[in-house]
Every structure is written in structure tokens, then in C-alpha cells.
Amino acid sequence: MFVTLAGSLALIGAVAGAYYFAMRPVTLRIAVGPANSDDIKAVQALTQAFSQARGYIRLRPVQTDGAAASAKALEDGAADLAIIRGDLDVPKNAQAVATLRKNVAVLWVPPPAKGKGKKSGPKITKIAQLAGRRIGVVGRTPANVNLLKVILQQYGVDPGKVEIIQFPAAEAADAIRNQKADAYLAAGPVNSKITADAINASTRDGGTPTFLAIDSAEAIAQNHPMYEASEIPAGAFGGSPDKPDDEVKTISFSHHIVARKGLSESTVAAFTRQLFAIRQQLMTEFPLAAKIETPDTDKDAVIPVHPGAAAFVDGEEKTFLDRYSDYIWWGLMALSAMGSAGAWFAGYLKKDERSNNSSLRERLLDMIAGARRSESIEELDRMQSDADEILRDTLRCFDDGAIEEGALTAFSIALEQFHNAVADRKTLLNSMPQNLQRAGAQFRAAATL
């Protein structure tokens, strides 16, 4: 009984411990950068929302110098998650969890400056006319320069014959007002404030900027799978008149939330579930949260999806019992085997005691026959005393667990038969004359000699 109780308590404790271990909060390090970027703001909002919701997953931002540095942090194991650009080299151990946002490439030319003594070159209306010109790139990341080069090469413009000027996003408006370049490129969400401010800074003397369409967007996407053909809606950057005044073809790329390949499937599934559950709450405070999308689960996706994220998207996420039922079953089997082994070992230790009890029971059976042949009351009393000792030893064996209840029942039947034999023999001896008892005793003594 005590062994069974101990085993049950051990099983309950093991299940409770496993449940606590599996459901305890997990903190994931997420690499993101650069400072003051939309990605940083998004991760900070998610971190706060996850903490307030007291969910299974918590986030700890790891600030980096940019998407390339974030990818490096993930590759080196310094982060569990990372925000990376889809048009940069993706670490081999990165698997997609969600699409944070999509960015479009915006190419535009400011209106010609008006005034005495100011001369402007030929009007630029096509990308092919950018050869020999100065092109300003908003942002310090080399990825934007690479994006510009891909576009120029598609239109036969040698990047080496173009003067590329980069300036920080915070200085973009001033650089454009000071006419630092002939054309500009910015990459960001369609509703990016940085891009809108830069385009608005291009408006001067009543003129509006000219947007350069990337008509070969589909060809670029075909040759470079990290890019997609896209469009900039009319009036995306506000103003009066609308900027642009019509849809403009362009290319886009995504910022992805990726996870380490070795990260637990259940952990990533829980993160993905929390991410999309909290997205609606963030939209009022952080509109960019509306851009978060599920990852591409196709096998030929540019960034392979993490199995945990795929399980959430496909509705195949495993429950606690699904994940640990095998362990629980094997645990029960192990406890059963341990109980059987313990019972056998306990029985092995008590084999001598059981053997001794068996000999006592055989002795008691022999005493039944002896009691029926006894010729004196004294001998029966001595046999009764021996039976009491046998009873005491048998009960001690039963208390120690050396014999089972069935063996005790068999002993009780034998003991009852012994008492009946003694009682019957005493009745018979008491009814016989004393001289006959003495003669019988003398006869038995002579027969023994």
C-alpha cells in the first residue's frame, strides 16, 4: 500500500513538474536595429505588449547597427530571433516566422529650380537617363545602395558612372532642399514618414517631383527572388496635388522576423500565436503592426518557414498532451517496471522468512496428528504452547509482508483444526479412568523401548 501511494505521489509530482517546466515563461532575445528605426519601435511595442499580457513568451530586444548586424547576431547565436531584410544575405540557420512589413523602392526627381542664373540639365523622366547624374540615397545602410545598383543595371546604366551620395534619414530633408543630388531613392513602407518628408522637401516653387516608374519590376523579381513587383498607390505621400498623381510601378522587399533553426518548435509556435493575437491591440498605438503578415509556407520560399510557425499557420499546432503524451506513457511504463522490480526485490529479501513460515505451517499440521494420538493432558498443553509461538511468528511475518493474506487464511484453517483436535482429545482423556490413562502411557513407553 505504501509503495503504491509513494509511486502515485511520485507520478503526480513528475507530471506537475513537467507541466511547470513546459509552461514556464520563456524569454527570447530578438536582434533589431538601427536605433530610432521603425523596426526598433515595433519590437519595443511588442515587448511591452507581451509583458503586459503575461503570456508564455517574453521578449528582450538586442539593439544592433542594422539588419545586417541583426542577421549576424542570429547566425552567431547571440539572439534567438532577428529582424532582417529579405534582400540581404540570409543566415543559413534562419527560418521565417512572420513578415514584419513590406518596403517599396521610391525613385523621384525634384522639380527644376527656378531663378536667375540657375540652369538645370535635361529633364529626367526615365531611369535610363540617370547615367552621369548624382543620385542621393536616403539612409546609411549599404543595402539601399545595392538596391539602387540592381535597378540601374536592369536599365543598362553602369553604376560606376553614377555618383551615389548617401545621407542619414534625419538629414534627408535638408539635403534635398540644398539640392545635393539630381534624383533620390528611398526604401521603406508606403506610409513611411521618412520617405514622405523627403518627397515633400522636394516640392519647391510650386513644382512637384517626378516619380520614376520601374516598369521592369517583374523582370527584376524574376532575376532576384528576394524582390517582388509592386505598385505605389496614387496619393500615397499626400499633398495637393497628389504625390504621386497616378500608380507607379516599383519593386518591394520584406523585413522578416526569423528564428534560429534549432529553436524549439513549440516555442516558436507560441511566439507566432502571441504575435498575431496581440497585433490587433497594437494597431491603434502602432499602425505599422497592421502590416505584420504570416510567413510564406511554400517549400520553395526564399526564406524557409520555421516548423513552429508553419504549424500555427496551418492549424496543426500541438497541445501539451500532444507534445508530451509519449513521455507520460513511457514514464508510466517505467514506474510500473520499477514497481514490479521493487516488489520482486522485496520478495527476494523475505524469501527466507517465507520459507521459515512454510516450515512452521508444516509443523502445525504434524501437531494436529500428534494431538489426536496424545495420551496426556500435559503433552497437549505443551503442544498448545508451541502452537501459540507458531501463531506469533506467523503474524510477525504477515506484518512484515513476507506472506500474503491467502497464506494467512490457510494458516488460520490449520490452526483451527489443531485447536479442535486438542479440544477433542482433552475431552476424550478426561472421560477415561486414571488407571487406563496410566496403562496406556506405560504401554507407549514400553513400545518405545
Side-chain angles (χ1 to χ4, degrees):
M1 180 181 67
F2 288 111
V3 171
T4 303
L5 179 60
S8 301
L9 292 175
L11 176 61
I12 294 173
V15 173
Y19 182 81
Y20 171 78
F21 180 80
M23 301 307 293
R24 77 193 192 286
V26 175
T27 300
L28 300 179
R29 301 163 298 169
I30 179 167
V32 59
N36 300 320
S37 64
D38 289 337
D39 292 344
I40 281 282
K41 295 176 183 177
V43 170
Q44 289 174 343
L46 288 174
T47 301
Q48 185 176 3
F50 278 22
S51 178
Q52 291 176 350
R54 300 184 180 276
Y56 175 65
I57 301 296
R58 311 290 172 85
L59 296 178
R60 189 173 75 224
V62 178
Q63 186 170 318
T64 64
D65 295 333
S70 298
K72 180 65 175 174
L74 184 78
E75 186 175 21
D76 295 342
D80 305 303
L81 304 169
I83 308 296
I84 66 171
R85 282 180 58 149
D87 59 340
L88 294 177
D89 292 336
V90 178
K92 293 182 180 180
N93 65 335
Q95 294 182 317
V97 175
T99 299
L100 184 62
R101 58 186 170 89
K102 289 189 176 181
N103 305 303
V104 293
V106 185
L107 264 172
W108 76 94
V109 179
K114 295 180 181 180
K116 294 181 180 180
K118 293 185 178 180
K119 294 183 180 180
S120 60
K123 186 177 181 180
I124 301 173
T125 58
K126 297 180 180 180
I127 295 177
Q129 297 172 337
L130 293 175
R133 300 284 187 153
R134 294 175 301 166
I135 304 177
V137 177
V138 179
R140 288 293 190 183
T141 173
N144 287 347
V145 175
N146 295 335
L147 172 62
L148 175 61
K149 291 179 178 179
V150 168
I151 297 172
L152 294 177
Q153 289 171 350
Q154 180 65 32
Y155 287 89
V157 178
D158 185 1
K161 296 182 179 181
V162 173
E163 183 182 356
I164 300 176
I165 305 171
Q166 276 189 279
F167 36 80
E171 302 175 8
D174 291 337
I176 294 172
R177 292 189 188 98
N178 295 327
Q179 303 179 28
K180 296 288 187 180
D182 302 311
Y184 298 91
L185 172 112
V190 173
N191 60 349
S192 171
K193 186 177 184 301
I194 295 175
T195 304
D197 290 344
I199 292 173
N200 290 330
S202 302
T203 304
R204 55 176 175 260
D205 301 327
T208 57
T210 301
F211 291 87
L212 304 182
I214 306 177
D215 296 319
S216 300
E218 293 184 0
I220 294 176
Q222 186 69 27
N223 296 328
H224 304 274
M226 71 283 296
Y227 297 116
E228 297 179 4
S230 185
E231 292 181 347
I232 301 173
F237 305 111
S240 179
D242 291 340
K243 294 189 288 290
D245 57 0
D246 198 2
E247 289 185 348
V248 179
K249 289 186 177 181
T250 186
I251 57 174
S252 66
F253 61 92
S254 299
H255 275 218
H256 301 279
I257 302 177
V258 295
R260 279 189 299 106
K261 188 175 182 179
L263 199 59
S264 167
E265 180 177 338
S266 59
T267 299
V268 175
F271 169 77
T272 310
R273 182 177 65 255
Q274 287 184 212
L275 175 65
F276 286 96
I278 213 76
R279 180 183 60 175
Q280 298 296 328
Q281 302 177 23
L282 293 179
M283 287 175 58
T284 55
E285 301 177 3
F286 191 75
L288 285 178
K291 303 296 182 180
I292 300 176
E293 299 178 359
T294 56
D296 185 1
T297 57
D298 292 339
K299 293 183 178 180
D300 58 349
V302 176
I303 303 178
V305 65
H306 194 284
F312 169 79
V313 174
D314 298 335
E316 298 177 355
E317 188 177 355
K318 295 181 179 179
T319 63
F320 175 84
L321 289 178
D322 292 334
R323 294 195 303 267
Y324 298 102
S325 59
D326 290 343
Y327 296 102
I328 294 174
W329 188 83
W330 284 110
L332 290 173
M333 293 294 293
L335 286 175
S336 176
M338 291 174 60
S340 299
W344 176 85
F345 186 69
Y348 177 78
L349 293 178
K350 298 178 183 300
K351 66 175 185 178
D352 293 338
E353 198 170 354
R354 285 199 307 273
S355 177
N356 180 58
N357 182 259
S358 297
S359 64
L360 291 177
R361 186 176 59 188
E362 293 298 326
R363 181 184 170 191
L364 182 61
L365 293 175
D366 293 339
M367 288 171 60
I368 295 175
R372 289 173 179 165
R373 296 192 302 269
S374 178
E375 296 296 339
S376 68
I377 300 298
E378 292 78 7
E379 184 181 7
L380 291 175
D381 290 338
R382 187 172 58 255
M383 295 174 67
Q384 184 73 55
S385 178
D386 293 342
D388 293 339
E389 291 295 330
I390 293 174
L391 174 62
R392 187 178 295 107
D393 292 340
T394 300
L395 293 177
R396 187 182 303 113
C397 290
F398 178 75
D399 292 337
D400 293 342
I403 61 174
E404 297 179 356
E405 188 174 352
L408 183 63
T409 302
F411 175 81
S412 300
I413 295 174
L415 183 63
E416 183 180 359
Q417 292 297 318
F418 170 75
H419 286 313
N420 292 336
V422 170
D424 293 343
R425 192 62 181 174
K426 283 185 176 182
T427 301
L428 179 62
L429 292 177
N430 288 329
S431 63
M432 293 176 58
Q434 291 294 328
N435 56 352
L436 290 179
Q437 293 184 24
R438 287 194 297 270
Q442 293 173 359
F443 176 78
R444 283 194 301 276
T448 302
L449 295 173

